[in-house]
Amino acid sequence: MSRIDPLPESQASDDLKAAWARHIADYPGSRITNMKATLSHSPLAFDVYMQWYPLYQEVIGLVGNRLAYLFAHAISEGSDCPLCTMFFRKIIIDHGERPEALVLTDDEQALLRFGSEMARNKGEVPADLYQTVARRCTPAELVILVAFAGQMIATNVFNNALEVEVDSYLAPYYPVTNPT
């Protein structure tokens, strides 16, 4: 159960409803999720966290759609964030892959480890892993990747601290565990 209930639409101001509508119009396929409705208790917090979307678009421009969502998934797993991990798990499955059986190149694996290490170790990344990723990026590209990872980690922290409930539409994407 969430520590703070998502703000119901009936309690949202007209300005906030307009911000929600702009968000959905600007990012087709998006919705006001439990996280976004919880953020909406502070319209400023909602606006700040929604800057994740343009940064994510920059990451897609750098590494492509697949690697962008895999990067976000790796960061979310590294942060132990059930909500965000499930969100990106859905994207992976909807694109025809199994999160437990991804086929990755060495460069892709390095980028995913880079994101996961940042999440697990408060931003610290082993020097050899950093160099592996940095050799393939310009300084501007590396800044975008690290900034996005930081924003993703902030989203994970928000969800974890407030125990934001995983949205019901994500339920079919929970991992299936095998009995031992």
Side-chain angles (χ1 to χ4, degrees):
M1 175 181 262
S2 294
R3 291 180 167 170
I4 296 176
D5 290 333
L7 184 72
E9 186 175 358
S10 63
Q11 293 179 18
S13 68
D14 289 342
D15 287 346
L16 184 56
K17 288 177 187 176
W20 288 354
R22 273 191 310 278
H23 172 71
I24 291 168
D26 289 347
Y27 301 99
S30 63
R31 61 181 83 199
I32 301 305
T33 60
N34 288 339
M35 182 193 84
K36 293 172 192 173
T38 303
L39 279 164
S40 293
H41 284 280
S42 165
L44 177 59
F46 175 81
D47 288 342
V48 168
Y49 274 74
M50 292 310 98
Q51 289 305 300
W52 178 94
Y53 283 85
L55 201 49
Y56 184 62
Q57 293 302 313
E58 289 286 315
V59 173
I60 289 171
L62 293 178
V63 300
N65 189 47
R66 176 180 184 260
L67 196 51
Y69 62 71
L70 292 177
F71 185 53
H73 181 262
I75 295 164
S76 298
E77 275 194 328
S79 295
D80 292 323
C81 179
L83 193 154
C84 292
T85 299
M86 197 62 54
F87 177 82
F88 288 103
R89 182 177 170 78
K90 175 189 182 312
I91 292 172
I92 294 166
I93 292 168
D94 288 354
H95 280 90
E97 294 187 85
R98 288 186 26 239
E100 302 80 14
L102 296 171
V103 176
L104 301 166
T105 67
D106 289 344
D107 287 346
E108 291 169 337
Q109 185 62 49
L111 183 62
L112 301 188
R113 281 187 38 239
F114 183 73
S116 183
E117 288 293 322
M118 279 190 281
R120 284 190 176 105
N121 299 308
K122 301 178 192 136
E124 294 182 21
V125 177
D128 61 329
L129 179 57
Y130 175 85
Q131 288 303 322
T132 298
V133 173
R135 276 194 294 274
R136 291 160 179 77
C137 298
T138 67
E141 292 168 340
L142 199 53
V143 165
I144 289 168
L145 291 171
V146 171
F148 174 76
Q151 183 68 36
M152 190 74 244
I153 292 165
T155 299
N156 298 157
V157 167
F158 179 85
N159 288 319
N160 287 346
L162 295 181
E163 297 178 358
V164 176
E165 263 184 61
V166 174
D167 297 83
S168 60
Y169 79 95
L170 296 172
Y173 298 92
Y174 278 96
V176 176
T177 57
N178 294 323
T180 55

